[in-house]
Protein backbone atom coordinates (compact mmCIF):
# COMPACT_ATOMS: atom_id res chain seq x y z
CA UNK A 1 0.00 0.00 0.00
CA UNK A 2 1.41 3.39 -1.00
CA UNK A 3 2.37 5.79 1.77
CA UNK A 4 0.01 8.71 2.33
CA UNK A 5 1.56 11.96 1.06
CA UNK A 6 2.59 14.15 4.05
CA UNK A 7 0.27 16.95 3.03
CA UNK A 8 -2.74 14.70 3.60
CA UNK A 9 -1.82 14.48 7.27
CA UNK A 10 -3.20 18.01 7.54
CA UNK A 11 -6.75 17.00 6.64
CA UNK A 12 -9.02 14.07 7.34
CA UNK A 13 -8.59 12.70 3.84
CA UNK A 14 -11.23 9.98 3.98
CA UNK A 15 -13.98 12.18 5.43
CA UNK A 16 -13.17 15.09 3.12
CA UNK A 17 -13.19 12.91 0.02
CA UNK A 18 -16.51 11.27 0.96
CA UNK A 19 -18.06 14.67 1.64
CA UNK A 20 -17.01 16.41 -1.57
CA UNK A 21 -17.73 13.38 -3.75
CA UNK A 22 -21.39 14.00 -2.94
CA UNK A 23 -21.45 17.61 -4.13
CA UNK A 24 -21.54 17.48 -7.95
CA UNK A 25 -21.50 21.27 -8.34
CA UNK A 26 -18.22 21.72 -6.45
CA UNK A 27 -14.67 20.87 -7.51
CA UNK A 28 -12.38 20.13 -4.56
CA UNK A 29 -8.66 19.40 -4.49
CA UNK A 30 -5.56 19.34 -2.33
CA UNK A 31 -2.11 19.82 -3.84
CA UNK A 32 1.35 19.42 -2.35
CA UNK A 33 4.17 21.98 -2.23
CA UNK A 34 4.97 21.26 -5.88
CA UNK A 35 1.38 21.93 -6.97
CA UNK A 36 0.69 18.23 -7.62
CA UNK A 37 -2.76 16.79 -6.92
CA UNK A 38 -2.82 14.56 -3.85
CA UNK A 39 -6.58 14.56 -3.27
CA UNK A 40 -9.41 15.21 -5.74
CA UNK A 41 -13.15 14.74 -5.69
CA UNK A 42 -15.39 12.95 -8.14
CA UNK A 43 -16.52 16.17 -9.83
CA UNK A 44 -12.99 17.03 -10.87
CA UNK A 45 -12.42 13.50 -12.15
CA UNK A 46 -15.57 13.63 -14.28
CA UNK A 47 -14.85 17.07 -15.69
CA UNK A 48 -11.30 16.11 -16.58
CA UNK A 49 -12.57 13.05 -18.43
CA UNK A 50 -10.35 10.48 -16.72
CA UNK A 51 -11.40 7.00 -15.66
CA UNK A 52 -10.07 7.08 -12.11
CA UNK A 53 -9.07 9.70 -9.57
CA UNK A 54 -5.61 8.17 -9.43
CA UNK A 55 -5.12 9.33 -13.03
CA UNK A 56 -4.91 12.88 -11.66
CA UNK A 57 -2.80 12.25 -8.57
CA UNK A 58 0.83 13.30 -8.72
CA UNK A 59 0.19 15.62 -11.67
CA UNK A 60 0.08 19.40 -11.80
CA UNK A 61 -2.73 21.41 -13.41
CA UNK A 62 -0.31 22.17 -16.23
CA UNK A 63 -0.06 18.44 -16.93
CA UNK A 64 -3.83 17.88 -16.71
CA UNK A 65 -5.25 20.84 -18.64
CA UNK A 66 -4.23 21.74 -22.16
CA UNK A 67 -1.96 24.70 -22.82
CA UNK A 68 -2.21 27.53 -22.00
CA UNK A 69 -5.02 26.84 -19.50
CA UNK A 70 -3.04 24.54 -17.24
CA UNK A 71 -0.18 27.01 -17.03
CA UNK A 72 -2.60 29.66 -15.76
CA UNK A 73 -3.99 27.38 -13.03
CA UNK A 74 -0.47 26.34 -12.01
CA UNK A 75 0.52 30.01 -11.87
CA UNK A 76 -2.29 30.58 -9.34
CA UNK A 77 -1.04 27.67 -7.22
CA UNK A 78 2.50 29.01 -7.20
CA UNK A 79 1.31 32.43 -6.02
CA UNK A 80 -0.60 30.86 -3.12
CA UNK A 81 2.39 28.69 -2.18
CA UNK A 82 4.92 31.51 -2.44
CA UNK A 83 2.95 34.31 -0.78
CA UNK A 84 0.69 32.37 1.56
CA UNK A 85 -2.34 34.39 0.53
CA UNK A 86 -5.84 33.19 -0.21
CA UNK A 87 -7.63 33.61 -3.53
CA UNK A 88 -11.22 34.40 -2.60
CA UNK A 89 -14.35 34.16 -4.76
CA UNK A 90 -12.50 34.63 -8.03
CA UNK A 91 -15.02 34.43 -10.85
CA UNK A 92 -13.53 32.25 -13.58
CA UNK A 93 -14.71 30.58 -16.76
CA UNK A 94 -13.26 27.08 -16.64
CA UNK A 95 -12.57 25.17 -19.83
CA UNK A 96 -12.35 21.44 -19.24
CA UNK A 97 -10.37 18.89 -21.31
CA UNK A 98 -13.60 17.50 -22.77
CA UNK A 99 -14.47 20.90 -24.21
CA UNK A 100 -17.17 21.89 -21.72
CA UNK A 101 -17.18 25.43 -20.33
CA UNK A 102 -18.61 26.72 -17.09
CA UNK A 103 -18.45 29.59 -14.64
CA UNK A 104 -17.25 29.06 -11.12
CA UNK A 105 -16.18 30.95 -8.02
CA UNK A 106 -12.74 29.75 -6.95
CA UNK A 107 -11.21 29.77 -3.49
CA UNK A 108 -7.63 28.65 -2.89
CA UNK A 109 -5.65 28.81 0.35
CA UNK A 110 -2.28 27.65 1.64
CA UNK A 111 -2.39 24.46 3.68
CA UNK A 112 -0.18 24.83 6.74
CA UNK A 113 1.21 22.43 9.32
CA UNK A 114 1.31 22.95 13.10
CA UNK A 115 4.38 25.18 12.76
CA UNK A 116 2.55 27.37 10.17
CA UNK A 117 4.79 26.15 7.37
CA UNK A 118 3.08 25.93 3.99
CA UNK A 119 2.74 22.32 2.91
CA UNK A 120 0.35 22.62 0.01
CA UNK A 121 -2.76 24.21 -1.46
CA UNK A 122 -6.40 23.42 -0.76
CA UNK A 123 -9.05 24.71 -3.11
CA UNK A 124 -12.73 24.72 -4.01
CA UNK A 125 -14.39 25.87 -7.22
CA UNK A 126 -18.14 26.30 -6.84
CA UNK A 127 -20.34 26.41 -9.93
CA UNK A 128 -21.87 29.82 -10.52
CA UNK A 129 -25.48 28.98 -11.33
CA UNK A 130 -28.24 31.06 -12.79
CA UNK A 131 -30.37 33.26 -10.55
CA UNK A 132 -32.63 31.88 -7.85
CA UNK A 133 -35.95 32.87 -9.45
CA UNK A 134 -37.82 31.72 -6.35
CA UNK A 135 -36.12 34.36 -4.24
CA UNK A 136 -38.69 36.99 -3.15
CA UNK A 137 -36.46 39.80 -4.47
CA UNK A 138 -35.94 38.23 -7.90
CA UNK A 139 -38.66 40.26 -9.64
CA UNK A 140 -37.39 43.49 -8.16
CA UNK A 141 -33.97 42.87 -9.69
CA UNK A 142 -35.31 41.68 -13.05
CA UNK A 143 -35.66 45.19 -14.49
CA UNK A 144 -32.08 46.10 -13.54
CA UNK A 145 -30.70 42.83 -14.94
CA UNK A 146 -32.63 43.26 -18.20
CA UNK A 147 -31.18 46.77 -18.41
CA UNK A 148 -27.68 45.31 -17.92
CA UNK A 149 -28.17 42.72 -20.67
CA UNK A 150 -29.50 45.33 -23.08
CA UNK A 151 -26.80 47.90 -22.38
CA UNK A 152 -23.64 45.93 -21.47
CA UNK A 153 -22.04 47.25 -24.67
CA UNK A 154 -21.99 50.72 -23.12
CA UNK A 155 -19.62 52.00 -20.39
CA UNK A 156 -22.24 50.93 -17.86
CA UNK A 157 -21.90 51.70 -14.15
CA UNK A 158 -23.38 49.76 -11.26
CA UNK A 159 -25.03 52.97 -10.05
CA UNK A 160 -27.19 52.89 -13.21
CA UNK A 161 -28.40 49.38 -12.31
CA UNK A 162 -29.28 50.60 -8.82
CA UNK A 163 -31.37 53.41 -10.29
CA UNK A 164 -33.22 50.97 -12.55
CA UNK A 165 -34.11 48.84 -9.52
CA UNK A 166 -34.90 51.86 -7.34
CA UNK A 167 -32.30 50.74 -4.80
CA UNK A 168 -29.28 52.15 -3.05
CA UNK A 169 -25.90 50.77 -4.11
CA UNK A 170 -25.53 48.84 -0.85
CA UNK A 171 -29.01 47.33 -1.15
CA UNK A 172 -28.37 46.35 -4.77
CA UNK A 173 -25.09 44.69 -3.79
CA UNK A 174 -26.78 42.60 -1.09
CA UNK A 175 -29.69 41.53 -3.27
CA UNK A 176 -27.58 40.59 -6.30
CA UNK A 177 -25.37 38.46 -4.06
CA UNK A 178 -28.41 36.72 -2.58
CA UNK A 179 -30.15 36.06 -5.91
CA UNK A 180 -27.16 35.55 -8.25
CA UNK A 181 -24.41 34.60 -5.76
CA UNK A 182 -22.25 37.25 -7.47
CA UNK A 183 -21.45 40.92 -6.94
CA UNK A 184 -23.00 43.40 -9.41
CA UNK A 185 -19.51 43.99 -10.85
CA UNK A 186 -19.03 40.24 -11.36
CA UNK A 187 -22.45 39.93 -12.99
CA UNK A 188 -21.58 42.72 -15.44
CA UNK A 189 -18.15 41.25 -16.22
CA UNK A 190 -19.67 37.77 -16.67
CA UNK A 191 -22.27 39.12 -19.11
CA UNK A 192 -19.61 40.88 -21.16
CA UNK A 193 -17.20 37.95 -21.28
CA UNK A 194 -19.99 35.54 -22.27
CA UNK A 195 -20.96 37.83 -25.14
CA UNK A 196 -17.33 38.25 -26.19
CA UNK A 197 -16.75 34.49 -26.07
CA UNK A 198 -19.65 33.89 -28.44
CA UNK A 199 -18.34 36.50 -30.88
CA UNK A 200 -14.83 35.08 -30.70
CA UNK A 201 -16.15 31.60 -31.50
CA UNK A 202 -18.06 32.95 -34.49
CA UNK A 203 -14.81 34.44 -35.82
CA UNK A 204 -16.35 37.21 -37.95
CA UNK A 205 -15.29 40.35 -36.06
CA UNK A 206 -11.82 41.56 -35.17
CA UNK A 207 -10.83 41.41 -31.51
CA UNK A 208 -10.80 45.21 -31.34
CA UNK A 209 -14.37 45.32 -32.71
CA UNK A 210 -15.49 42.68 -30.19
CA UNK A 211 -13.95 44.68 -27.35
CA UNK A 212 -15.88 47.78 -28.43
CA UNK A 213 -19.16 45.88 -28.92
CA UNK A 214 -18.90 44.41 -25.42
CA UNK A 215 -18.45 47.70 -23.60
CA UNK A 216 -14.67 47.96 -23.28
CA UNK A 217 -13.12 51.33 -23.99
CA UNK A 218 -9.88 49.88 -25.31
CA UNK A 219 -8.45 46.63 -26.60
CA UNK A 220 -5.94 46.20 -23.74
CA UNK A 221 -8.58 46.53 -21.00
CA UNK A 222 -10.67 43.88 -22.74
CA UNK A 223 -7.68 41.53 -23.07
CA UNK A 224 -6.74 41.93 -19.40
CA UNK A 225 -10.22 41.15 -18.10
CA UNK A 226 -10.84 38.32 -20.54
CA UNK A 227 -7.57 36.65 -19.57
CA UNK A 228 -8.21 37.18 -15.85
CA UNK A 229 -11.57 35.42 -16.13
CA UNK A 230 -10.78 32.65 -18.62
CA UNK A 231 -7.03 32.11 -18.32
CA UNK A 232 -6.72 32.86 -22.05
CA UNK A 233 -6.21 35.93 -24.16
CA UNK A 234 -9.03 36.60 -26.64
CA UNK A 235 -6.71 35.53 -29.47
CA UNK A 236 -5.85 32.25 -27.72
CA UNK A 237 -9.51 31.58 -26.98
CA UNK A 238 -10.40 32.09 -30.63
CA UNK A 239 -7.59 29.78 -31.73
CA UNK A 240 -8.70 27.13 -29.24
CA UNK A 241 -12.20 27.11 -30.72
CA UNK A 242 -11.12 27.20 -34.33
CA UNK A 243 -9.34 23.84 -34.15
Amino acid sequence: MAATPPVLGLVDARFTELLFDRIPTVVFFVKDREGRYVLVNETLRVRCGVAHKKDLLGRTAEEVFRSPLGARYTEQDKLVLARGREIQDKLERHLYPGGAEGWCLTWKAPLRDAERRIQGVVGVSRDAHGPDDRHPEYRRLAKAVDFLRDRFDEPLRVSALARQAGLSLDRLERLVRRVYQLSPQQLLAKTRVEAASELLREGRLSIAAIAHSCGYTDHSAFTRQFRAMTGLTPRSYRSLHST
Side-chain angles (χ1 to χ4, degrees), residues 187-206:
L187 183 60
L188 175 58
K190 178 176 178 286
T191 302
R192 285 175 168 162
V193 169
E194 285 177 338
S197 298
E198 183 175 351
L199 292 172
L200 287 165
R201 290 193 298 270
E202 290 175 358
R204 293 185 292 105
L205 297 177
S206 69

Side-chain angles (χ1 to χ4, degrees), residues 87-93 103-107 126-129 145 148-149 152 156-158 161 172-195 216 225 228-229:
I87 295 173
Q88 297 183 350
D89 284 341
K90 179 176 175 57
L91 180 63
E92 299 181 303
R93 191 175 181 88
W103 287 100
C104 66
L105 290 165
T106 296
W107 170 82
R126 174 172 54 87
D127 289 354
H129 298 293
V145 173
L148 181 154
R149 289 173 176 161
F152 70 85
L156 191 62
R157 295 183 180 275
V158 174
L161 300 182
L172 177 74
E173 176 90 20
R174 290 194 296 271
L175 290 183
V176 171
R177 285 190 181 277
R178 289 174 189 169
V179 175
Y180 288 85
Q181 292 81 54
L182 301 171
S183 71
Q185 293 85 354
Q186 286 175 325
L187 183 60
L188 175 58
K190 178 176 178 286
T191 302
R192 285 175 168 162
V193 169
E194 285 177 338
Y216 295 91
Q225 183 162 75
M229 296 180 71

Side-chain angles (χ1 to χ4, degrees), residues 75-88 106-112 116 118 120-122:
E75 179 183 328
Q76 280 185 354
D77 297 337
K78 288 179 178 178
L79 285 174
V80 173
L81 289 164
R83 300 180 183 178
R85 296 178 183 173
E86 292 185 14
I87 295 173
Q88 297 183 350
T106 296
W107 170 82
K108 289 184 179 181
L111 197 57
R112 300 177 186 271
R116 302 295 297 164
I118 297 175
V121 177
V122 59

Side-chain angles (χ1 to χ4, degrees), residues 90-150:
K90 179 176 175 57
L91 180 63
E92 299 181 303
R93 191 175 181 88
H94 272 200
L95 311 178
Y96 297 99
E101 300 187 16
W103 287 100
C104 66
L105 290 165
T106 296
W107 170 82
K108 289 184 179 181
L111 197 57
R112 300 177 186 271
D113 61 19
E115 284 72 42
R116 302 295 297 164
R117 295 173 299 195
I118 297 175
Q119 297 294 336
V121 177
V122 59
V124 170
S125 288
R126 174 172 54 87
D127 289 354
H129 298 293
D132 179 6
D133 57 8
R134 296 172 297 177
H135 193 284
E137 300 287 358
Y138 174 76
R139 291 187 180 277
R140 186 167 192 180
L141 286 176
K143 185 177 180 181
V145 173
D146 287 343
F147 179 78
L148 181 154
R149 289 173 176 161
D150 290 339

